[in-house]
Amino acid sequence: MDRNSNGYTFMFAAIMVVVVGALLAFAATSLKSKQDENVKKEKMQNILASVGVVVEREEAPNQFTSVIKEQLALKLDGSVDESVKAFDIDLKSELSKSVENQRFPLYVAEQDGKKFYIVPLRGAGLWDAIWGYVALEGDLNTIKGTVFDHKGETPGLGAEITQKWFQDRSIGEKIMDQSGEVVGVAVAKGNTDPSKDDNKVDAISGATITGDGVTAMIKERLSNYKNYFANQKKLALNN
């Protein structure tokens, strides 16, 4: 075949597309188990970071086993579904179900003789999904720490939710109002009040919609745990 002909060019291009596609498919398949393992380790890192335990990715599994004492898959009524593994729950899939049919993962951590409760979060930002974790003190009201991440928020604006300075604003805030209702923590523009009892933190300038997404995400997710929180408080009073 004439190498200068259009037919040869098209044939060569087609062969290269097939070969490169096959190589990419092989690489993706062969690396999938490693990628999945890295995703699991990163998830462990983020869960640990919500209670202030910062570790390298490779150290995460050992620290996770040491710090996380219980992994619960909760029903809306606060009871535990023993047939479901909390770590395997995909919140993206759960949110497509009715709230009554969802399962709500909860991680119970122990550190320095104290118990903390870690709630996974997922919601919507300006452009795409946002997610994270909020850790509560033993009173199931005071925030120990938070971790937030996103898929496509604007760099320098909404993407700043991943920064420690923003996440640390929630430390010490309450998730319940004076009547005991779960209200979460609102990201409020111009909120410079240092009070930790107003259920608010200061917003990121220029990131109103992302901040509103964080507000809605925290309230919606935490409200699904109110029956579990109430049950735990009753148990504590009876002991």
Side-chain angles (χ1 to χ4, degrees), residues 71-86 89 94 97 100-104:
Q71 301 180 51
L72 308 175
L74 302 176
K75 299 178 183 179
L76 190 61
D77 63 6
S79 63
V80 178
D81 186 345
E82 299 288 354
S83 69
V84 180
K85 292 184 178 179
I89 294 175
E94 292 300 303
K97 304 175 184 177
E100 293 80 10
N101 292 322
Q102 290 183 38
R103 293 296 176 263
F104 307 98

Side-chain angles (χ1 to χ4, degrees), residues 9-70:
T9 301
F10 288 132
M11 183 180 70
F12 180 81
I15 292 173
M16 289 303 297
V17 168
V18 171
V19 171
V20 172
L23 290 173
L24 290 174
F26 173 77
T29 302
S30 60
L31 293 174
K32 188 177 186 307
S33 60
K34 182 65 174 177
Q35 292 171 340
D36 291 344
E37 186 64 23
N38 286 338
V39 169
K40 288 175 61 176
K41 289 177 180 178
E42 182 178 357
K43 183 175 179 178
M44 292 177 181
Q45 275 184 298
N46 289 331
I47 292 171
L48 291 170
S50 70
V51 290
V53 180
V54 180
V55 296
E56 296 295 327
R57 187 166 63 187
E58 295 306 312
E59 299 173 1
N62 286 337
Q63 284 294 320
F64 189 83
T65 301
S66 175
V67 174
I68 304 301
K69 303 303 182 183
E70 291 183 83

Side-chain angles (χ1 to χ4, degrees), residues 160 163-169 203-204:
E160 296 295 281
Q163 298 300 310
K164 188 175 186 299
W165 57 262
F166 175 72
Q167 296 173 6
D168 284 353
R169 288 178 178 177
I204 300 168

